[in-house]
Amino acid sequence: MTKPVTSAELDQRSKLHEVFALPQGRALDICFKLQTAILEHKLTPGLKLSEDEVGEIYGASRTVVRASLQALAHSGLVAMEKNRGAFVAKPSIREAHEVFQARALIEPAVARLAADVITDRQLAQLHAHLDAEHAALHSGDMGKALFLSGNFHTEIADIADHRVFAGMIRSLISRSSLIIALYWKRSDTACESHSHHALMNAFEKHDGAAAEKIQKSHIVDLHSGLDLKEKPAGGTSLNEALRG
Amino acid sequence: MTKPVTSAELDQRSKLHEVFALPQGRALDICFKLQTAILEHKLTPGLKLSEDEVGEIYGASRTVVRASLQALAHSGLVAMEKNRGAFVAKPSIREAHEVFQARALIEPAVARLAADVITDRQLAQLHAHLDAEHAALHSGDMGKALFLSGNFHTEIADIADHRVFAGMIRSLISRSSLIIALYWKRSDTACESHSHHALMNAFEKHDGAAAEKIQKSHIVDLHSGLDLKEKPAGGTSLNEALRG
DNA sequence: CAATCTTGGATCGTATACAATTTTTACTCA
DNA sequence: TGAGTAAAAATTGTATACGATCCAAGATTG
């Protein structure tokens, strides 16, 4: 019951390559693995990503690790400090607000675009995605559930077939994942919310206006589900988080 | 009469550092110089940016040049092809449409934000900026005029004090510069248009709604000023373009 | 003569070595 | 004991060297 996930992951990977100007060759692998780990909350915000350590784990030289970290820095998942190294990004409260403001502007517009052009095949794929998300959630794998929940949004952007918006949304979703890791308030994982299903409904009817409206309120809802107060930092070890 | 430009340039530089996760140390210099050259249309789209050549020109090793090129690739100004190297990006017609659609969505919203919070000092700065643009235009320096015209938009984003939007807009403006280089139709440089002045008017009155409306029609106007047909490629030499 | 194959040069991808900077540790002295 | 300082360890920044890939020109063959 954990298998339907794989195809979604591979999908995500190829799309990443398409949208961002990502590093080439081996660096892309590392980039993707680190990103997945961060998005599944295996790596907590603020964690140091030592070049030597990452390189040793993935069997690569510092040169290529450096390229990966730089790429992730550009997408907002990693913060680099001069002469101090790379860390999993720890979005500030201010950035949290800004990210969700941006999402509230862009994603509804993109949902509208998607509703107009979505095909039956894509509808089925989205349904499958929701099933996988549901399964992950009920199997207790919070990390993967959140990862998939984010992917749902990027898939909509891909359906809208607008690469510029898709790239923006991808970056925003990534950062949202970190923000949720830091500031999520409600114990009920609201991403299981009915918003995604309501959206599916609008898509099936090709009702762009409805999709836009639903998406907007969904994001406003997510935003208001955050508890934007200062939190103390966590400091796990990298090896212990990734080696598994 | 060419002096007022300098402060704007330095300003731009520090802001870049703030918004993007840019490389550190010497790489940032090269990044900035290349970006400026591209934005002033000294480097035409499609031009090859050989690592050795760039490194020799700026007196840096390939390592740091590589980092710079990667950074520029992430902001959309440079395209990297595996095992072939880096080129000044040559946005497709499709990307051109997408970029201006994105601008038409985001920039009006940001203009509204800016109108609400703009200070007298910032108003004066924008006025000075328009003067500099005007001067560059009438001194025949098209490249610099276009560069400054773009900066006008990013300055508004900075005034709105919204880093996420500012980052997006910066990237969009950069790509717009390339798009204009490739597809501009009108011989009258419409960036001298009255839109910028009209916008200033709305800012002075802190009329957000008006600012939003003006900005939107300004960008739609720019979009329609493009001639989106296939164009042949140009191939200048890098040395001859930068050594001056 | 045209098409294909081979070969040489140029350029990129990656690893490694060294220099510069930061962080930690150990030590002295009040 | 605690603060200040200095030396040592660890980590990043940068340069260079080597192997891999691509491109173009010239040779070869049908």
Side-chain angles (χ1 to χ4, degrees):
Chain A
M1 64 164 120
T2 58
K3 266 309 157 204
V5 169
T6 310
S7 91
E9 279 175 341
L10 292 179
D11 212 3
Q12 167 82 347
R13 186 223 164 99
S14 68
K15 291 297 173 39
L16 270 177
H17 182 59
E18 197 176 296
V19 171
F20 288 106
L22 280 179
Q24 309 133 337
R26 204 132 75 264
L28 191 104
D29 272 359
I30 297 178
C31 205
F32 177 65
K33 282 174 184 160
L34 278 178
Q35 164 156 10
T36 303
I38 296 175
L39 261 44
E40 288 184 353
H41 292 189
K42 287 179 186 158
L43 271 39
T44 67
L47 178 66
K48 171 104 200 264
L49 297 171
S50 155
E51 295 179 358
D52 276 327
E53 213 168 346
V54 174
E56 212 238 312
I57 289 175
Y58 294 122
S61 153
R62 273 183 56 219
T63 308
V64 47
V65 172
R66 225 156 184 336
S68 303
L69 291 175
Q70 237 188 277
L72 289 174
H74 282 291
S75 74
L77 278 181
V78 157
M80 300 188 74
E81 293 176 37
K82 170 154 178 159
N83 282 321
R84 291 192 18 91
F87 306 80
V88 177
K90 217 163 80 175
S92 67
I93 289 172
R94 171 186 175 162
E95 187 180 344
H97 281 300
E98 291 186 358
V99 163
F100 277 90
Q101 282 164 16
R103 290 185 61 178
L105 176 69
I106 297 171
E107 291 204 51
V110 171
R112 173 169 230 153
L113 288 178
D116 291 339
V117 300
I118 194 168
T119 67
D120 288 350
R121 201 186 170 298
Q122 290 169 325
L123 274 169
Q125 205 169 326
L126 278 185
H127 270 301
H129 190 112
L130 284 187
D131 288 346
E133 192 182 329
H134 190 80
L137 201 66
H138 283 258
S139 81
D141 192 342
M142 275 329 195
K144 189 150 284 177
L146 260 166
F147 177 78
L148 289 172
S149 169
N151 274 15
F152 183 77
H153 287 252
T154 64
E155 275 186 40
I156 290 170
D158 288 332
I159 289 168
D161 200 29
H162 195 296
R163 296 184 198 190
V164 170
F165 279 141
M168 291 175 173
I169 288 177
R170 232 175 272 280
S171 175
L172 290 171
I173 296 288
S174 293
R175 282 186 270 185
S176 292
S177 173
L178 291 175
I179 291 165
I180 288 170
L182 284 170
Y183 303 113
W184 191 248
K185 172 168 56 179
R186 304 189 194 142
S187 55
D188 70 326
T189 61
C191 286
E192 169 79 306
S193 79
H194 299 269
S195 302
H196 285 185
H197 289 283
L199 209 52
M200 291 299 299
N201 243 311
F203 283 158
E204 270 156 14
K205 295 183 203 148
H206 297 281
D207 185 344
E212 179 172 353
K213 198 166 180 176
I214 292 166
Q215 186 72 306
K216 170 118 191 187
S217 77
H218 174 44
I219 290 167
V220 168
D221 207 47
L222 283 175
H223 191 171
S224 71
L226 299 174
D227 176 37
L228 293 168
K229 303 266 169 59
E230 295 296 346
K231 298 277 175 70
T236 331
S237 143
L238 177 58
N239 269 290
E240 123 193 7
L242 281 185
R243 278 249 144 83
Chain B
M1 63 164 120
T2 58
K3 267 310 160 203
V5 170
T6 310
S7 90
E9 280 176 340
L10 291 177
D11 213 2
Q12 168 81 349
R13 185 226 165 100
S14 68
K15 290 297 173 40
L16 271 178
H17 182 59
E18 198 178 295
V19 171
F20 289 106
L22 280 178
Q24 308 135 339
R26 203 133 75 263
L28 191 105
D29 273 358
I30 297 178
C31 205
F32 177 65
K33 281 173 184 159
L34 278 177
Q35 163 155 12
T36 303
I38 295 175
L39 263 43
E40 287 183 354
H41 293 190
K42 286 179 185 158
L43 270 40
T44 67
L47 177 66
K48 173 99 199 272
L49 297 171
S50 154
E51 296 179 356
D52 277 329
E53 213 169 347
V54 175
E56 213 237 312
I57 289 175
Y58 294 123
S61 152
R62 272 183 57 218
T63 308
V64 46
V65 171
R66 216 155 198 321
S68 304
L69 292 175
Q70 242 188 268
L72 289 174
H74 282 291
S75 75
L77 279 181
V78 159
M80 300 189 75
E81 293 176 36
K82 170 152 179 162
N83 281 321
R84 293 197 10 94
F87 305 80
V88 177
K90 217 162 80 174
S92 66
I93 290 172
R94 171 185 176 165
E95 187 180 346
H97 281 300
E98 291 187 356
V99 163
F100 276 91
Q101 282 164 14
R103 289 185 61 179
L105 176 68
I106 297 170
E107 291 203 52
V110 171
R112 174 168 230 153
L113 288 177
D116 290 339
V117 300
I118 194 169
T119 67
D120 288 350
R121 201 184 171 297
Q122 290 169 326
L123 274 169
Q125 204 168 328
L126 278 184
H127 269 301
H129 190 110
L130 284 186
D131 289 346
E133 193 182 326
H134 190 80
L137 200 65
H138 284 257
S139 81
D141 191 343
M142 274 330 197
K144 189 152 282 176
L146 259 166
F147 177 79
L148 289 173
S149 168
N151 273 15
F152 184 77
H153 288 251
T154 64
E155 274 185 40
I156 289 170
D158 289 332
I159 289 168
D161 201 29
H162 195 295
R163 295 182 198 193
V164 171
F165 279 141
M168 290 176 174
I169 289 177
R170 232 175 272 280
S171 176
L172 291 170
I173 296 288
S174 293
R175 284 186 269 185
S176 293
S177 174
L178 291 175
I179 290 166
I180 288 171
L182 283 170
Y183 305 112
W184 190 246
K185 172 169 55 178
R186 305 189 194 144
S187 56
D188 70 325
T189 61
C191 286
E192 169 79 306
S193 77
H194 299 270
S195 303
H196 286 184
H197 289 283
L199 209 52
M200 291 299 299
N201 242 311
F203 283 158
E204 270 156 16
K205 293 182 202 147
H206 297 281
D207 185 344
E212 179 172 352
K213 197 167 182 176
I214 292 166
Q215 186 72 306
K216 170 119 190 188
S217 75
H218 174 42
I219 289 167
V220 168
D221 207 47
L222 285 176
H223 190 170
S224 70
L226 297 174
D227 176 39
L228 293 168
K229 302 265 167 60
E230 296 295 346
K231 298 278 175 71
T236 331
S237 143
L238 178 57
N239 269 290
E240 122 195 6
L242 281 184
R243 278 250 145 80

